Amino acid sequence: MSADEFRDVMRRWASGVAVITMRGPDGPHGMTVNALLSVSLDPPTLLIVLARNGRTRGILERTGRFTVNILAAGQQPLADRFTKRRQPGDEEFAGLDWHPSPGGAPVLQGVLAALDCLVTEQTPVADHVLLIATVTHTHLPSTEGAPLVYAGRRYHDLPQQ
């Protein structure tokens, strides 16, 4: 199977959309992810997948902490913003409303939920790395909404329940 064939098959799989954020040596940094999975409830553990040689992984190697911001329907501009390559730092978050999580990473305004995480394991797989992280704090806003979903190379808003 070629990489293109595999990509075409996986485009038919829907996933939620999140922005992981962290505080690096040059200031805050963020990246859109859809490779996010709940692993365990006791202790609360999740898995994210990052490119092995990417800047985000390099920052996490130094800090060991990140926050998962689960995006709500209508937050496609946030997802798009953090898919582009940028220099980390305050200008990356210019014009955005956010507050620091207990671990210091940005919690973005309007997200459905946020999870503060501590990396506990890293496993290289092909050109990516699986990062296992313990959830150390959660942030649940008082309002609920529907999640932003990605499938078929585009974003979809699910109806609010």
Side-chain angles (χ1 to χ4, degrees):
M1 172 187 299
S2 73
D4 288 338
E5 288 173 311
F6 184 61
R7 188 176 346 209
D8 285 344
V9 169
M10 293 311 298
R11 285 183 181 132
R12 290 163 170 83
W13 176 254
S15 65
V17 183
V19 172
I20 59 168
T21 57
M22 62 221 62
R23 251 349 226 172
D26 299 320
H29 173 67
M31 180 184 137
T32 300
V33 298
N34 64 350
L36 169 67
L37 176 69
S38 168
V39 174
S40 171
L41 293 176
D42 188 16
T45 305
L46 57 79
L47 174 142
I48 62 170
V49 182
L50 299 177
R52 184 184 294 214
N53 297 319
R55 177 179 30 209
T56 300
R57 178 164 179 260
I59 294 170
L60 280 178
E61 286 257 316
R62 290 187 294 264
T63 65
R65 299 191 73 84
F66 64 93
T67 295
V68 175
N69 292 269
I70 298 172
L71 299 188
Q75 289 189 308
Q76 178 179 342
L78 264 181
D80 287 340
R81 179 180 187 139
F82 289 102
T83 60
K84 297 177 176 69
R85 290 192 174 267
R86 297 154 320 282
Q87 291 301 316
D90 292 327
E91 61 277 354
E92 184 176 358
F93 285 78
L96 291 181
D97 289 330
W98 63 275
H99 66 274
S101 71
V107 174
L108 303 171
Q109 183 69 33
V111 296
L112 287 179
L115 303 132
D116 225 19
C117 301
L118 176 65
V119 176
T120 56
E121 295 180 47
Q122 298 187 41
T123 303
V125 176
D127 59 351
H128 281 68
V129 174
L130 307 179
L131 295 169
I132 307 291
T134 300
V135 177
T136 58
H137 186 268
T138 61
H139 169 76
L140 284 169
S142 58
T143 58
E144 293 187 22
L148 182 64
V149 175
Y150 190 78
R153 299 172 72 183
R154 61 190 172 129
Y155 296 102
H156 303 272
D157 290 341
L158 294 179
Q160 188 164 349
Q161 308 258 338

